[in-house]
Amino acid sequence: MVRIRLARAGRKKHPVYRMVVIDSKKPREGKAIEYIGTYDPILKTGNINVEKAKEWIQKGAQPSERALKILKSFGLEN
């Protein structure tokens, strides 16, 4: 199954996450199919392409709980 989830990046004690489309069996920092954007949980900022996320969800990708929460905060409506 294809998932939309977060992959950790950034430095020690200041994580930055990339929102990626990836096969659910791959590791967290494995090779992604596509990058959708980035999110900084400390500053609560990021740049996420919501249109790309909508396209992948229509194709059958399942967002993780945290990814869905972040996408909703960036304007994704169900």
Side-chain angles (χ1 to χ4, degrees):
M1 174 190 335
V2 176
R3 303 270 321 205
I4 298 174
R5 66 182 187 199
L6 300 174
R8 192 174 197 271
R11 62 178 195 253
K12 181 177 168 182
K13 301 202 185 252
H14 188 100
V16 176
Y17 293 95
R18 292 182 191 156
M19 191 165 291
V20 296
V21 178
I22 193 168
D23 184 28
S24 63
K25 295 177 184 173
K26 298 272 184 180
R28 183 178 69 179
E29 281 87 24
K31 184 166 171 55
I33 298 169
E34 184 173 5
Y35 292 101
I36 296 177
T38 59
Y39 178 70
D40 186 343
I42 295 172
L43 301 175
K44 305 281 193 271
T45 60
N47 55 349
I48 296 174
N49 190 340
V50 179
E51 296 303 317
K52 285 275 187 189
K54 284 182 188 177
E55 289 176 20
W56 277 103
I57 290 171
Q58 288 174 351
K59 290 178 185 177
Q62 296 291 318
S64 67
E65 288 182 29
R66 181 59 57 180
L68 184 60
K69 184 177 179 181
I70 293 168
L71 285 169
K72 285 182 179 180
S73 71
F74 278 86
L76 178 74
E77 63 274 338
N78 278 358

